[in-house]
Amino acid sequence: FLLDGVPVYNASHGLGLYSIYNTAAVRSARIMKGNFPAQYGGRVSSIWDIQTKEGNTKKVQGEVEMGVSSLQMTVEGPLAKGKGSWFVSGRRSLLDFFSVPISRRIRENDGKYGFLKYYFSDFNGKVNFAISPKDRLHLSIYNGKDNFTNKISQDRWFTDTLSIVSNEEVINWGNKITSLRWNHLISEKIFANVTAIYSQYFYNSEELVDLDLLRGDARITRDVFFQKYKSSINDIGLKTDFDYTTFRKHRFRFGTSFIRHKFQPGIVSFEEVTIFDAEIRDTIGAYLKNPLISSEFDVYVQDEVKINDNIHANIGFRGSLLIVNGKKFFAPQPRLILNFFEGQNVSYNLTATYNTQFLHLLSPTNIGLPKDLWVSATEHAPPQRAWQLSLGSKYRPKPWLTIDLEGYYKLLSSIIYYQGGTLETVNSTNWQDDIAQGKGWAYGVELLVKVERGKMGGWFSYTYAHSDRQFGQNDSQPGPGVNNGKKYPLRLDRRHNFNVQYLYKMSKSWEFSAGFTFATGTAFTFPSVQFEVEQPIGGAPTEINTVSVITELNPFRMAPYHRLDFSFNHNFSVRNINHTLKLGAYNTYVQQNPVYHTRRDSFDENGKLTRNVVAVALVPFFPSLRYIMEFK
């Protein structure tokens, strides 16, 4: 994910419910599903390249948007008598004003206490200024943060003892991004961009389970479970890009880039422990402050060539170098994108690309919210590599009807699987001791049918996709391998994806839209339990411990995800001020779509404290009422 050319490591708010890309701030969006040209690199998946608005150079104007779920304000205007412009936009979600009282009431009706709280905020700012007829500076800033809290507790009397079990999960994550770009026009046929970038991503979470026993004036408190995740990435970089259009049928792009990564992943997890006081927490924090430093260097060249009126091509090469812990990795990456045009209504595309990624994403647990612990490729965890082939066609039988069909196949190598589970302490180096290396496959077919006719529009899309992984035996991890060496589906594997959108312009001022989404549930692992018994020879057992054991990876799937949304929009103007009133509903028929699974300790009918894995749904239904005012 790129925002004004800067890498973004987590591009969603609310686990995908919202994007960090504020639509009021977006000037252009380019999405490339694996077949991206040589000017893009660093990832083996896809590219989202988002450019934010520059600001109005002639007059001050703005927009205020108020709704049930969020509040947003945008203002832009000229700078230095038209020599530049500025743009600012800020959002703050209001979900916590509803989630706290609603969740508290639901839990009280279930004989429990606590609440679920979530909100996010973000800010976009941009300034551009012409320092000469051939030179212009652009300064872009983004700052966003998510906050999630889930507290639940219950109590139970046993004769003269009150038992209270409490589960608390607190998570916050966010991005800070800054870019300064100098655009210089060298001549009429060549111009250059020099960009300095800074990007920071952080993820922090703590989960604590307490058990309190009260008997008269006596109190016994024990932390049954404690788990802490802490991850951050700090990037500083510089890149240059040149655009050269000397030849009539050729457009050359070439450039270089450098980026320095500072990784700080960390996990601390304990079962059946004593109270964590401030001193112990500080000791844990110090343990997690050993960063891993790596540097990336890239150079690329590409030629967008018109071979003839029917065949266009993008031929490129990218060379990348990683330096980490004194070790060097060089990755040559050829790219080929061909487009064939058969008249004005039929076209075909064929792509073959080879990509390298110098980053790995650890997934330390299959339970709870997804944990983003990014680390650098190292000597023990080489860079990921991927070949991708795709073949597609676009057909336009009628001016109002477009049909897109594309198939793809991707082969990945040097991917890793983190085998550490959760019951240990991990820092920026020892994660390498508990990984397995393997390969992966991703393949599928995508269909898009788009209609734009008169007052009616919409589309239907369907994707059939596989994403599998396999990790066999290796020298550092002897044995049959992860999942006994058998292939298994990735957590993000969704075999079937349907999406239908319908839009209808009822009149000059009224619009209606509706959308239905269906997707296969994601794969997940449900750990089984084994018992370790400490027993002296010839004596009685002295202690029995429970141990979570994973016998097979991702054999289960969440329930299918589906929901129906609709919206009515009313547009009107009063004294040069445009107004829009939006009324609708998210998840109209209140489908309980699980977002993740988590552990939860509770008392059973016999008063015994047991640990269960439960599915958590964040937003079963949400009404939408929004008012937008555009002023000039």
Side-chain angles (χ1 to χ4, degrees):
F1 294 93
L2 297 172
L3 183 63
D4 287 331
V6 185
V8 179
Y9 290 93
N10 189 320
S12 66
H13 291 304
L15 304 175
L17 294 177
Y18 295 87
S19 170
I20 71 162
Y21 300 128
N22 182 352
T23 54
V26 173
R27 175 170 60 92
S28 66
R30 187 181 183 190
I31 302 172
M32 290 150 281
K33 300 177 292 186
N35 53 349
F36 40 90
Q39 71 184 93
Y40 297 98
R43 301 295 186 271
V44 295
S45 183
S46 53
I47 298 289
W48 287 53
D49 187 1
I50 306 297
Q51 298 292 323
T52 57
K53 291 180 179 178
E54 301 287 340
N56 194 311
T57 58
K58 297 181 180 180
K59 57 184 176 181
V60 175
Q61 65 180 34
E63 176 183 291
V64 177
E65 183 172 347
M66 297 175 288
V68 176
S69 61
S70 64
L71 176 65
Q72 174 181 304
M73 185 171 182
T74 301
V75 184
E76 59 185 307
L79 183 68
K81 298 181 179 180
K83 290 185 177 181
S85 59
W86 54 271
F87 176 93
V88 294
S89 181
R91 288 187 300 176
R92 206 284 192 185
S93 71
L94 307 176
L95 296 173
D96 50 320
F97 291 94
F98 303 93
S99 64
V100 172
I102 293 175
S103 60
R104 181 174 283 134
R105 177 65 60 87
I106 292 174
R107 293 176 181 182
E108 287 178 356
N109 293 337
D110 198 27
K112 300 176 182 178
Y113 309 95
F115 60 87
L116 188 151
K117 181 179 182 179
Y118 168 75
Y119 68 94
F120 72 84
S121 60
D122 58 24
F123 170 83
N124 288 87
K126 197 168 189 178
V127 176
N128 75 89
F129 181 74
I131 54 180
S132 77
K134 294 185 177 182
D135 299 276
R136 182 174 288 269
L137 291 178
H138 302 257
L139 175 64
S140 176
I141 297 174
Y142 171 84
N143 193 342
K145 186 177 181 181
D146 289 63
N147 297 271
F148 176 84
T149 303
N150 189 9
K151 294 184 178 182
I152 186 169
S153 62
Q154 61 177 315
D155 54 53
R156 188 69 62 87
W157 278 98
F158 301 99
T159 61
D160 60 345
T161 301
L162 176 63
S163 297
I164 305 173
V165 60
S166 302
N167 294 260
E168 180 178 354
E169 187 177 17
V170 179
I171 306 173
N172 57 78
W173 68 94
N175 300 273
K176 295 180 180 179
I177 292 171
T178 302
S179 70
L180 177 62
R181 178 166 58 94
W182 170 39
N183 177 260
H184 176 60
L185 182 64
I186 300 175
S187 68
E188 293 182 356
K189 295 182 178 181
I190 184 169
F191 66 87
N193 282 302
V194 180
T195 310
I197 66 172
Y198 170 77
S199 176
Q200 181 196 58
Y201 169 71
F202 65 90
Y203 176 93
N204 299 303
S205 74
E206 281 195 16
E207 185 177 358
L208 179 64
V209 180
D210 279 333
L211 176 63
D212 289 330
L213 302 176
L214 305 177
R215 181 181 299 169
D217 296 332
R219 176 172 181 169
I220 300 175
T221 302
R222 187 175 183 85
D223 289 332
V224 180
F225 179 78
F226 175 81
Q227 182 171 268
K228 179 182 179 70
Y229 287 85
K230 184 178 178 64
S231 177
S232 66
I233 310 172
N234 287 272
D235 289 349
I236 298 177
L238 182 68
K239 62 178 184 176
T240 60
D241 300 279
F242 296 88
D243 200 313
Y244 186 43
T245 56
T246 297
F247 305 102
R248 185 172 61 89
K249 293 186 176 182
H250 297 266
R251 180 182 181 183
F252 288 101
R253 296 174 187 256
F254 54 95
T256 62
S257 65
F258 162 76
I259 188 167
R260 177 185 179 271
H261 302 286
K262 180 180 179 182
F263 300 90
Q264 184 60 77
I267 308 172
V268 177
S269 182
F270 297 100
E271 298 252 15
E272 301 293 341
V273 295
T274 54
I275 294 297
F276 281 90
D277 56 23
E279 182 178 352
I280 295 177
R281 289 176 182 269
D282 291 342
T283 302
I284 292 172
Y287 178 78
L288 300 178
K289 293 180 180 178
N290 299 311
L292 174 64
I293 307 295
S294 69
S295 299
E296 289 185 36
F297 300 85
D298 296 275
V299 58
Y300 75 90
V301 59
Q302 70 184 48
D303 179 16
E304 300 173 32
V305 55
K306 232 187 225 189
I307 299 175
N308 55 45
D309 291 339
N310 301 102
I311 303 176
H312 298 175
N314 188 312
I315 305 169
F317 177 84
R318 186 180 185 92
S320 301
L321 175 68
L322 171 70
I323 301 177
V324 56
N325 295 332
K327 181 72 174 179
K328 296 180 181 179
F329 298 91
F330 177 70
Q333 302 164 73
R335 312 280 173 83
L336 175 63
I337 302 173
L338 294 175
N339 293 285
F340 305 88
F341 299 92
E342 187 178 316
Q344 296 183 348
N345 297 324
V346 181
S347 64
Y348 305 93
N349 64 80
L350 172 66
T351 67
T353 59
Y354 183 64
N355 304 311
T356 299
Q357 179 170 313
F358 292 143
L359 303 174
H360 291 291
L361 182 61
L362 302 182
S363 298
T365 177
N366 289 281
I367 300 297
L369 288 166
K371 312 294 194 261
D372 289 347
L373 272 68
W374 290 91
V375 292
S376 172
T378 66
E379 183 178 1
H380 301 289
Q384 302 179 59
R385 306 176 191 275
W387 275 104
Q388 175 161 313
L389 301 174
S390 66
L391 177 63
S393 174
K394 178 180 287 188
Y395 178 45
R396 195 176 183 186
K398 302 289 183 180
W400 48 269
L401 177 63
T402 304
I403 302 174
D404 277 316
L405 180 65
E406 185 175 41
Y408 65 93
Y409 180 86
K410 178 183 289 186
L411 177 63
L412 301 103
S413 60
S414 298
I415 58 178
I416 67 170
Y417 174 79
Y418 179 68
Q419 303 181 94
T422 59
L423 303 181
E424 59 183 277
T425 306
V426 176
N427 61 17
S428 61
T429 58
N430 67 3
W431 61 268
Q432 302 173 83
D433 302 331
D434 217 354
I435 62 172
Q437 298 179 31
K439 52 189 176 181
W441 300 264
Y443 54 92
V445 178
E446 299 180 339
L447 172 66
L448 173 64
V449 180
K450 190 174 182 181
V451 177
E452 293 180 282
R453 189 173 190 180
K455 297 182 178 180
M456 184 188 71
W459 66 85
F460 164 80
S461 67
Y462 168 68
T463 300
Y464 175 76
H466 279 256
S467 188
D468 300 317
R469 299 292 184 266
Q470 186 175 28
F471 300 89
Q473 180 181 0
N474 57 60
D475 295 336
S476 61
Q477 297 290 334
V482 176
N483 202 46
N484 291 318
K486 296 185 297 183
K487 187 186 298 186
Y488 68 92
L490 188 65
R491 179 179 61 85
L492 299 177
D493 178 272
R494 289 187 185 270
R495 296 293 165 85
H496 304 279
N497 291 267
F498 294 91
N499 186 270
V500 180
Q501 299 290 329
Y502 175 76
L503 304 98
Y504 181 69
K505 191 170 182 62
M506 305 164 64
S507 66
K508 290 184 179 180
S509 59
W510 283 96
E511 299 172 340
F512 171 76
S513 65
F516 176 75
T517 300
F518 175 91
T520 304
T522 56
F524 73 97
T525 300
F526 189 91
S528 58
V529 175
Q530 292 184 1
F531 297 92
E532 291 182 351
V533 180
E534 296 183 10
Q535 182 176 6
I537 299 176
T542 58
E543 188 171 353
I544 300 177
N545 300 316
T546 60
V547 180
S548 296
V549 177
I550 296 177
T551 57
E552 185 178 359
L553 287 176
N554 296 342
F556 306 102
R557 286 191 178 270
M558 289 189 182
Y561 180 98
H562 53 95
R563 75 172 199 267
L564 174 66
D565 309 327
F566 75 88
S567 174
F568 288 94
N569 299 336
H570 180 46
N571 305 296
F572 59 98
S573 299
V574 178
R575 295 181 180 178
N576 294 324
I577 297 179
N578 298 325
H579 305 265
T580 301
L581 186 65
K582 297 185 176 183
L583 174 65
Y586 171 92
N587 198 7
T588 307
Y589 53 85
V590 197
Q591 170 64 21
Q592 292 280 350
N593 289 306
V595 178
Y596 68 97
H597 286 78
T598 188
R599 288 174 292 260
R600 190 154 293 165
D601 294 287
S602 60
F603 295 105
D604 61 17
E605 296 178 354
N606 300 318
K608 182 180 178 181
L609 186 64
T610 59
R611 174 163 295 172
N612 302 304
V613 176
V614 297
V616 179
L618 294 185
V619 185
F621 168 79
F622 205 85
S624 175
L625 177 61
R626 305 192 70 77
Y627 167 69
I628 302 173
M629 179 182 67
E630 298 179 48
F631 56 89
K632 300 179 181 180

